[in-house]
Amino acid sequence: MAEGVETEDQAASLRRYHCDELQGFLISRPLPAEQVPGFLHKCCSEPSSARSSYG
């Protein structure tokens, strides 16, 4: 798990090291608690080809 990932370049470097779990501004800015369910629903219900490699 990598934290603090902010750019696609950082994510690409992590992929080269086979890191497939990350968090940071690249995925989402901090959200109010009431917005998290909607974010997760959108993120997890889209086909993987329609979203970035991590989000």
Side-chain angles (χ1 to χ4, degrees):
M1 168 61 95
E3 13 179 295
V5 181
E6 297 183 10
T7 67
E8 285 290 344
D9 287 340
Q10 291 171 332
S13 294
L14 291 163
R15 278 193 291 269
R16 285 193 293 274
Y17 290 100
H18 306 286
C19 179
D20 61 358
E21 294 184 22
L22 53 92
Q23 68 181 46
F25 289 165
L26 179 64
I27 305 303
S28 176
R29 297 286 179 177
L31 297 172
E34 62 272 6
Q35 291 181 10
V36 172
F39 172 80
L40 292 175
H41 178 74
K42 179 181 176 196
C43 172
C44 297
S45 65
E46 293 178 357
S48 60
S49 61
R51 52 188 156 117
S52 72
S53 300
Y54 292 106

